[in-house]
Amino acid sequence: MEQYLQQSIGLSVGEFSIHDGSGLSRKNRLSSYGLVKILEKFSPYSDLLNKHHESFLKSGTLDGVYCYAGYTFQNGRSLPFALLLNQEKNTRDALLRTLTQNAFP
């Protein structure tokens, strides 16, 4: 995975840390920027993701961590996005609604 992130996605070693390939480790580190770069490569397969609030996305949840990554579509255009939230109360749905309503002018 580390080799793929470096060679195919173009991330440098300091931009990520993979301790568990399943994504279920608090030691895993990837910025929203890095995740969007991965989504740009994945875009031909975006329809494989679950549809939720007019977006195709993958969710991720650990205690106190709530994430969405995927694509929002409006007017025939797509925009990859990554929401990585560390918070007590899960507000990712509200943030996703705001994003999809304001993503394109």
Side-chain angles (χ1 to χ4, degrees):
M1 177 55 89
E2 291 175 350
Q3 185 178 21
Y4 178 79
L5 290 173
Q6 290 172 8
Q7 295 177 357
S8 296
I9 304 297
L11 298 178
S12 64
V13 175
E15 292 181 289
F16 65 88
S17 178
I18 306 295
H19 289 269
D20 180 341
S22 71
L24 298 175
S25 173
R26 289 187 180 277
K27 293 180 181 179
N28 285 350
R29 295 287 183 259
L30 183 64
S31 68
S32 55
Y33 169 79
L35 197 46
V36 166
K37 289 201 51 115
I38 292 168
L39 289 165
E40 288 170 349
K41 278 276 203 196
F42 188 77
S43 65
Y45 314 102
S46 62
D47 61 333
L48 296 174
L49 299 173
N50 292 323
K51 190 168 185 180
H52 184 70
H53 292 296
E54 302 305 316
S55 298
F56 287 95
L57 57 82
K58 172 70 178 97
S59 64
T61 305
L62 293 170
D63 287 340
V65 180
Y66 306 95
C67 303
Y68 279 151
Y71 309 86
T72 186
F73 296 89
Q74 292 180 353
N75 302 323
R77 296 169 44 202
S78 70
L79 176 69
F81 69 89
L83 304 174
L84 309 175
L85 307 169
N86 296 313
Q87 54 190 193
E88 284 185 32
K89 183 180 177 189
N90 180 2
T91 64
R92 67 183 172 192
D93 279 325
L95 189 55
L96 179 61
R97 277 190 295 277
T98 299
L99 174 71
T100 57
Q101 292 168 359
N102 298 300
F104 297 100

